[in-house]
Amino acid sequence: MIMKTITVFSLLLLASTLSSSLARGSFQTLLPSDFSHQSNVSRARHLLEEIESRSRTRSVDLTKGYMSNSDLERAVKEFGQRCSNISRIYSIGKSVNGFPLWVIEISDKPGEEETEPAFKYIGNVHGDEPVGRELIMFLANWLCDNHLKDPLATLIVENVHLHLLPSMNPDGFTLRKRGNANNIDLNRDFPDQFLFINDDEDSRQPETRAIMNWSRDIRFTASATLHGGALVANYPWDGTDDKRTFYYGCPDDETFRFMASIYSHSHYNMSSSKEFVDGITNGAAWYPLYGGMQDWNYIHAGCFELTLEVSDNKWPIAAELPIIWKYNKMSMLNLVASLVKTGVHGRIYSSGDGRPLPASITVSGINYTVRAGRTFADYHRLLAPRDKFEVVATMPGYKSRNTTIWLDEGAMTLDFVLDPEVSMKGSILQNVYDCNCDSKSKLEFVEFLWGSHLEVFFVLILILGFLCLLFQRRKKVKHSTTKLRTVVV
């Protein structure tokens, strides 16, 4: 009885303390040791948070302190002016209600095609998960302020083309709901390998089509979308072929686990999750979904994408945003930097003329192909560090070439030079057409024939013709004499 009384008293005291803390918005005042045990304790906690969120919605304007769509547009354009030396502002399309989908590109040569990998962050995929749009603007401004001051900022700006889409779903944000203006969940609107839906591109939402066209236009090496409602780094596959919930890894499962762990372990407390081991999860093992963006990116765009749940609360009060940025800052930076700090990178050339070849790169044992760029034939193959890999370069009309590499911590540069496949007939033709005769000598010979020596040329022809005529007459006479003799005998 005494123990029960103490327990009840303790719970009441704890409830009083939490109530007081929430009233003060004391998320920011929690000590690291306190906060490190707050995430992902159990799935039941999510239900309590939803109840709390609904009660707060009735009494508090959740959008207070968040940028409106107009505020966000203004912030993006002001950033472009303030950081014009390392940025470019452009739109990839418009939402259902006509709001532009603004993108910030950050690079030392924005808008130019280079042999550098490209990365994209996308926020606000779901309208009621606005933390991502705020974090992306925090990230952009930090890079602008710290370029040439902080080594990591300088590394990213000068070696990666970083593209930032703060809001994929501005209409949903305005409506404070998950879907877009047509009430479609944009993370269920992409073509799916298991569920044959949305095969007609014209039937997809304009926001979805914009992302797909964007990914075709820019050869992204990797990307991540920012969501809310949990604290975990999610990786493919998102669905299963029989719709059951179980771990279903893609061909690059090892690499995706490595990427997810980079984010999780760089985060303040994601890796200490009690719900998700190491703070990461396979999507299908968590809960299967179909029509998701990350699977489509990997299959159709050659892009390794993660789905990042960056906040337990989908729509926390705005006062908590700076601390959420603080906890996600190094994760967001390190994930981008991993494009040049890990993996295999290089270019592919022809041994015949040295021109770049848009060849394909495969790794033995992994059923996935990475294609080199058409302009510079550069490739960027993300791989988890381990002892060795056999890398193969192939191109139609050329002999494939393979080599074994040892990939420890750090990136490796590996260029390929491919030999053309030439048949015997092709070889003879090549010898004819590749004749290295001196063009000047050929020109001088023509000038000799058709220049001032033209008269000599005609005299020679006449002499040869006269000699041929005499030879023919002598042959005819001899033939007649012989014939005559025969008759006389």
Side-chain angles (χ1 to χ4, degrees), residues 468-485:
C468 287
L469 181 62
L470 288 176
F471 178 78
Q472 290 294 330
R473 286 193 63 182
R474 184 175 178 180
K475 184 177 180 182
K476 183 176 180 180
V477 170
K478 184 177 180 181
H479 178 71
S480 300
T481 305
T482 305
K483 195 174 180 182
L484 182 59
R485 279 182 195 162

Side-chain angles (χ1 to χ4, degrees), residues 384-451:
R386 60 172 170 149
D387 291 341
K388 65 179 181 178
F389 296 93
E390 184 182 19
V391 185
V392 185
T394 58
M395 175 79 182
Y398 289 81
K399 299 176 183 177
S400 63
R401 178 157 291 182
N402 65 294
T403 186
T404 299
I405 63 169
W406 279 260
L407 189 63
D408 298 323
E409 298 294 333
M412 172 176 285
T413 299
L414 178 63
D415 294 337
F416 285 92
V417 179
L418 303 184
D419 297 323
E421 285 184 339
V422 183
S423 64
M424 184 62 67
K425 181 178 178 181
S427 179
I428 295 173
L429 289 174
Q430 187 177 20
N431 290 337
V432 172
Y433 288 105
D434 291 347
C435 175
N436 291 322
C437 300
D438 187 358
S439 58
K440 184 177 180 181
S441 300
K442 290 189 288 185
L443 182 61
E444 290 174 351
F445 179 70
V446 172
E447 288 177 349
F448 172 81
L449 291 178
W450 300 103

